[in-house]
Amino acid sequence: MEKYERISELQLKLSELRKSKTIGFVPTMGALHQGHLSLIDKCKSMCNITVASIFVNPTQFNDKNDYRRYPRTLEKDGEILEKAGCDIVFVPSEKEIYPETDERIFDFGELDKVMEGKFRQGHFNGVAQVVSRLFDIVNPDKAFFGQKDFQQVSIIKNMVKQLNLTTEIVVCPIVREQDGLAMSSRNMLLSDNQRKEAINISQALFYAKQQAPGTPVNEIRDEAIRRINSSPELKVEYLEIVDANTLQTVSGWDDATEIFACVAVQAGKIRLIDNVQLK
Ligand code: AMP
């Protein structure tokens, strides 16, 4: 595996490879786990060359403490990527990605007014800034994102359309721990007790899946929230049952063809998200 910190050097290498090979890209913020590795595997199965990036993007953190606390395990990440058969890892500095402050403001209409966008003001603008910048640098044929960040996938697809990019977005399923907790870099920050109780998040979503579509949407939503909040360490920030296309809440099962339950939970200071398809 080759490691690059400089855009110019990475681009020189990629321009050579591009002549005969397809380039796949997996952007990450590091602290890698099996969820990230599933994206690497998918990328390797669909593209000749797999490029991963590790960059904890400051512009997508609305909470400075969250940014400071975010786990950074660069050395271990390198070993994991090497073992996984990643070809190239791009590890830029902040100056390399943002030589000047990125002033761009994206308009995602209603897509970023709800859920993560509502509770993390400016988060998706920062995501769009960094992903568009990384796409510009890597210019991948395909880029791989996890369904774990359900709303992020909608935002990225919308951004690709707005900017007329040719990169194909490939969405990969959520990888879970054995007990059902969605894998996340933030899981390692949980206390033992928080980790034990965090199982209730996916349990509540699986319960919702089991009940749909026999039970009214609002009854399921209320009961799922109640089940999570019954754990002393957990506090639901939002739990919404939404149309997968518009991300707006539905009131009945016939309101949309694809319906997801999306949740954000505060476990002490650690914020966890998860989702499941109900229809
Ligand atoms: P992050 O490093 O958290 O920014 O995540 C990088 C990519 O990995 C994003 O596309 C995430 O959606 C994806 N990802 C994170 N956790 C998981 C998971 N448990 N299953 C599948 N994909 C994931």
Side-chain angles (χ1 to χ4, degrees), residues 14 17-25 43 46-49 135 138-144 165-170:
L14 289 178
L17 289 169
R18 210 183 315 280
K19 287 178 192 159
S20 59
K21 297 187 188 319
T22 55
I23 311 281
F25 181 43
C43 184
M46 293 178 76
C47 303
N48 302 131
I49 297 292
F135 278 14
V138 177
N139 190 14
D141 297 291
K142 299 182 200 299
F144 298 78
L165 304 179
T166 53
T167 300
E168 182 196 334
I169 303 302
V170 181

Side-chain angles (χ1 to χ4, degrees), residues 27-29 33 35-36 39 70 145-146 148-149 173-175 183:
T28 82
M29 298 205 299
H33 50 67
H36 297 112
L39 307 189
Y70 200 84
F145 291 86
K148 157 95 184 340
D149 296 274
I174 300 178
V175 178
M183 288 196 184

